[in-house]
Amino acid sequence: YLEQPSTLQEVSLKINFGDVVAVVGGNGSGKSTLISLLPRLIDPAKGAVTIDGVDIRDMAIKDLRQQIGLVTQDTMLFDDTIYNNVLYGNPQATATEIEEAIKQAHAAEFISLLPQGLSTRVGSKGQKLSGGQKQRISLARAIVRKPSILILDEATSAIDAESEAVIYEVLREF
């Protein structure tokens, strides 16, 4: 067993409520590691990650993760309806909250064109939808959580320029 060098060393980052931060760097520079620290997918070997001055290791993981919305490059949609895929983000959400999240994610227009609308099944891994449509459903799922922290991990890297522009507009509004 060879000890791996730390991916991140001597990092100090303070983000105020309402700030938008882009983490940019080459492959292997630690972007995903940094993002994985917030929801405690990994814990730091040294130091601490705090939210409002509280070490996140002192929070119940469930309570911490309820504050976080995450949209990744590889969207995980279930072989279920669009409605249920969004509802998965917040099982207590009302139909009105689901519809509002879908509007905020700029997904309402394309959904209205589908023969079964919100009742349309997306197929395994969302195979019946385009990349941009999948990302907007995933974004609606994150929005319906009403997160304090929204993380996008290369969420626009595999979609067309028009869909990317729509997603950036959603983020500005959100």
Side-chain angles (χ1 to χ4, degrees), residues 21 35 69-73 135 139 150-156 167-168 171:
V21 177
I35 288 170
L70 177 63
V71 181
T72 62
Q73 175 181 353
Q135 285 302 89
L139 191 53
L150 180 60
I151 301 171
L152 285 85
D153 187 3
E154 297 193 40
T156 61
I167 288 173
Y168 284 130
L171 297 177

Side-chain angles (χ1 to χ4, degrees), residues 35-156:
I35 288 170
S36 295
L37 290 167
L38 269 173
R40 289 198 61 202
L41 300 175
I42 59 172
D43 283 327
K46 291 193 288 186
V49 175
T50 64
I51 297 176
D52 293 333
V54 177
D55 189 322
I56 62 173
R57 290 174 289 200
D58 294 335
M59 298 178 187
I61 287 180
K62 180 180 178 185
D63 293 339
L64 171 66
R65 291 182 181 167
Q66 283 179 334
Q67 297 181 55
I68 298 172
L70 177 63
V71 181
T72 62
Q73 175 181 353
D74 301 318
T75 57
M76 176 52 71
L77 297 182
F78 304 103
D79 187 9
D80 204 339
T81 64
I82 291 173
Y83 184 92
N84 285 339
N85 269 281
V86 175
L87 182 65
Y88 183 76
N90 179 1
Q92 286 76 43
T94 65
T96 302
E97 290 170 323
I98 296 291
E99 290 171 10
E100 185 58 34
I102 286 168
K103 284 178 191 170
Q104 284 184 294
H106 290 255
E109 185 177 336
F110 87 79
I111 292 170
S112 71
L113 299 176
L114 299 172
Q116 295 173 313
L118 288 172
S119 298
T120 301
R121 293 187 75 87
V122 300
S124 177
K125 298 182 183 177
Q127 68 188 13
K128 295 180 181 178
L129 301 175
S130 72
Q133 290 170 334
K134 288 191 282 190
Q135 285 302 89
R136 283 182 261 174
I137 297 301
S138 185
L139 191 53
R141 178 191 295 160
I143 289 170
V144 81
R145 294 179 66 79
K146 298 178 184 157
S148 301
I149 301 168
L150 180 60
I151 301 171
L152 285 85
D153 187 3
E154 297 193 40
T156 61

